[in-house]
Amino acid sequence: MDWTPFSCVCSSSYFRLYLYIFNLSVLSCRIPRVWKTAHVIPLHKGGEATELNNYRPISKLSCLAKSLESLVNSQLKSFLNENSILSNYQSGFREGHSTISAVTLVLNDLYSDCIQKKHCAAVFIDLTKAFDTVGHTLLLRNLKKIGFDAKALEWSQNYLTDRQQCTAFNNYESDFLAISKGVSQGSILGPVLFNIYINDIAASVSSLDCKIHLYADDTILYCSADSIHAAVIKLQNSFNALQIALNNHKLVLNAKKTKLMLFSRSLNSDVNCVNFTTLAGSTIERVTEYKYLGIWLDETFKPHINKLVSKCRQKLGYLYRNKACFPMHARKTIVEATLLSVLDYGDVIYKYESASSLKLLDPVYHSALRFITGDPYRTHHCDLYRKVGWPPLAARREMHWLILIYKTLSGHMPEYITSLINFNNSNYQTRSSGWISCQVPRVFTELGKS
């Protein structure tokens, strides 16, 4: 791969000047040192605010540096897509891929095995400061392996080296220190470079009858067997091989946040005796529910819906307490951005949960509509739908489900999703020959039907 000169249709003299600087950077394989200076802001991820591990470092970079990265990123992504370089098991920061497609695949695999009366085991892997531990030498080696030419490699090396950062919090700043490894969280190129860095990790378990899926550094390893203990043993062997691959990439496993979860229609009573450890001998905790890419996984989606209701009520409480601060014309936009987006996320995944569980979301939704309209509590929800112009949650879930099906049939979803669809092919010409007809698997359980 080699960088091609950037072009712009804008006639502004400022844009032409910026474009000249960007092209000069690519041609000379040099980036201004000030563009490689970052102010790191600690962003609280959740949990105890006094625990340093609960903060994510976000780098604030120069706007011009991020503009250059955006142009380079477009060319890099095109190169990766055209040559099918990234692993099929990686969904992070890729066009057409999403957290929902990743969760859909994992759940489809797990539930399909459970329907066949198999026992499944999964380990959710957490890495300590994954983006900050990327080794530059190994990354450059991977870039050369996938086809970077000498010029592109030289520019990439200059991009990675001679960087410095300081920590900024409130009005305080630390001294600047040099960065010897890692890619910046908050940069445009960082996530794509990280994907290239760990691209070959999935191959370490591909021959061990175990499945793996990655979303950037969020990794799940899972398998099935005829018994719980057989599944755990199989998973342990794959987990050991994966840890060796992580060590070779200088990535550090966070044993405290890595969790084991078992999926089965009939768990044995001795399931508590299952022992699952790291290569260093640390025991991995077994949990009965886990938040994977924003979706709480369990035997049912009741825990996810309950936590979703609680989260939405907290948001609504804040909105109602500060209702006087929001003008009427702005309330719809505020609810759409802060609350409706939360209700819509992942609704196609828990769409077939029991009606009694799904009904718990309706009062929260109606309360949000009353916040927009200012109507009293006893206002009928049909009047609220009409005034705001939004359909019921059930209709929204159905619409999102149909959009997902359309994207799958039209090839706009990842290959691992589109490959799950099988079509009915007939040699006879009938009135329905021009229709899209899909095969529906034969199942005999309620879980399988849903």
Side-chain angles (χ1 to χ4, degrees):
M1 173 186 176
D2 58 339
W3 307 130
T4 57
F6 308 123
S7 59
C8 181
V9 296
C10 183
S11 60
S12 169
S13 58
Y14 289 108
F15 279 99
R16 290 201 301 270
L17 177 60
Y18 296 148
L19 202 61
Y20 174 78
I21 297 173
F22 296 155
N23 282 321
L24 187 62
S25 169
V26 170
L27 292 173
S28 64
C29 299
R30 295 292 182 271
I31 301 173
R33 193 168 187 269
V34 68
W35 288 7
K36 297 190 286 185
T37 300
H39 290 74
V40 179
I41 299 175
L43 182 66
H44 187 230
K45 297 186 295 185
E48 291 293 334
T50 56
E51 179 63 40
L52 292 181
N53 288 330
N54 291 331
Y55 288 85
R56 177 182 288 112
I58 301 298
S59 299
K60 292 183 66 178
L61 299 165
S62 163
C63 293
L64 290 178
K66 297 186 77 169
S67 299
L68 172 60
E69 287 188 34
S70 181
L71 294 172
V72 172
N73 188 52
S74 297
Q75 292 192 17
L76 179 54
K77 281 189 172 181
S78 298
F79 171 76
L80 296 174
N81 292 333
E82 290 171 4
N83 295 277
S84 302
I85 290 174
L86 291 182
S87 168
N88 292 330
Y89 306 105
Q90 173 64 264
S91 293
F93 309 103
R94 298 180 63 183
E95 184 179 358
H97 297 64
S98 66
T99 55
I100 299 304
S101 66
V103 176
T104 300
L105 172 69
V106 170
L107 288 180
N108 182 79
D109 290 341
L110 292 172
Y111 286 160
S112 296
D113 288 337
C114 288
I115 291 168
Q116 297 175 13
K117 298 183 179 180
K118 291 187 177 181
H119 303 265
C120 303
V123 57
F124 299 91
I125 298 166
D126 187 87
L127 301 177
T128 301
K129 310 298 182 188
F131 278 62
D132 298 328
T133 55
V134 170
H136 292 169
T137 302
L138 183 56
L139 175 57
L140 291 171
R141 193 184 308 160
N142 287 353
L143 293 177
K144 184 178 181 179
K145 186 191 301 183
I146 66 175
F148 271 43
D149 67 357
K151 277 282 188 181
L153 276 175
E154 187 179 353
W155 185 92
S156 301
Q157 184 173 14
N158 187 268
Y159 170 82
L160 292 170
T161 56
D162 198 25
R163 303 187 75 91
Q164 57 179 354
Q165 66 182 22
C166 75
T167 302
F169 184 73
N170 290 339
N171 295 322
Y172 298 94
E173 286 186 4
S174 68
D175 295 331
F176 280 94
L177 293 176
I179 305 173
S180 59
K181 59 183 178 180
V183 290
S184 301
Q185 294 195 58
S187 64
I188 305 295
L189 272 177
V192 182
L193 292 176
F194 183 81
N195 280 352
I196 297 173
Y197 184 72
I198 64 171
N199 191 45
D200 56 349
I201 281 184
S204 62
V205 298
S206 59
S207 61
L208 297 176
D209 196 21
C210 221
K211 295 180 181 179
I212 186 174
H213 202 85
L214 302 93
Y215 192 93
D217 60 328
D218 286 303
T219 305
I220 179 174
L221 190 64
Y222 56 101
C223 65
S224 63
D226 293 331
S227 69
I228 283 292
H229 288 282
V232 171
I233 291 173
K234 188 189 298 185
L235 186 66
Q236 181 73 73
N237 294 333
S238 298
F239 185 47
N240 292 342
L242 183 62
Q243 289 177 82
I244 295 173
L246 292 175
N247 290 335
N248 293 337
H249 285 72
K250 312 299 182 184
L251 297 173
V252 181
L253 178 74
N254 188 341
K256 290 184 178 180
K257 292 187 178 181
T258 298
K259 305 298 180 184
L260 172 71
M261 190 170 175
L262 305 177
F263 298 84
S264 177
R265 299 290 290 167
S266 56
L267 290 179
N268 297 325
S269 58
D270 61 345
V271 56
N272 292 325
C273 300
V274 169
N275 188 31
F276 196 80
T277 62
T278 66
L279 287 176
S282 301
T283 301
I284 300 299
E285 180 187 2
R286 186 179 70 85
V287 296
T288 56
E289 57 183 49
Y290 186 85
K291 188 179 182 180
Y292 177 59
L293 300 180
I295 303 293
W296 283 92
L297 304 185
D298 190 22
E299 293 182 359
T300 67
F301 288 105
K302 290 180 180 179
H304 177 78
I305 292 176
N306 291 334
K307 289 179 172 63
L308 185 59
V309 169
S310 177
K311 182 178 181 179
C312 289
R313 289 194 183 281
Q314 291 178 3
K315 290 179 178 291
L316 277 173
Y318 174 82
L319 292 178
Y320 271 101
R321 287 193 300 272
N322 298 275
K323 190 174 183 179
C325 302
F326 305 121
M328 185 71 72
H329 66 273
R331 292 179 186 174
K332 184 176 181 179
T333 303
I334 293 170
V335 169
E336 191 170 17
T338 62
L339 195 129
L340 193 60
S341 58
V342 176
L343 288 171
D344 286 345
Y345 179 75
D347 58 357
V348 295
I349 293 176
Y350 61 81
K351 178 181 184 297
Y352 289 103
E353 184 55 56
S354 64
S356 58
S357 295
L358 292 175
K359 283 182 178 179
L360 297 175
L361 297 170
D362 289 335
V364 176
Y365 184 52
H366 298 159
S367 181
L369 297 180
R370 287 194 297 271
F371 170 79
I372 297 173
T373 62
D375 287 333
Y377 176 77
R378 293 186 176 277
T379 305
H380 197 274
H381 55 263
C382 291
D383 294 330
L384 297 174
Y385 299 150
R386 177 177 50 81
K387 288 183 179 180
V388 180
W390 290 349
L393 280 182
R396 293 184 68 88
R397 288 191 291 268
E398 187 70 18
M399 178 183 66
H400 297 152
W401 178 237
L402 293 174
I403 292 173
L404 178 67
I405 294 174
Y406 169 77
K407 287 183 176 179
T408 303
L409 295 176
S410 59
H412 290 88
M413 293 291 286
E415 192 274 336
Y416 58 72
I417 295 294
T418 57
S419 63
L420 298 175
I421 303 295
N422 296 315
F423 297 95
N424 288 318
N425 296 316
S426 176
N427 296 325
Y428 301 98
Q429 291 295 326
T430 63
R431 285 178 294 178
S432 60
S433 296
W435 299 357
I436 296 177
S437 178
C438 299
Q439 296 178 6
V440 179
R442 294 184 63 185
V443 291
F444 303 98
T445 64
E446 290 303 318
L447 175 64
K449 292 176 183 177
S450 63

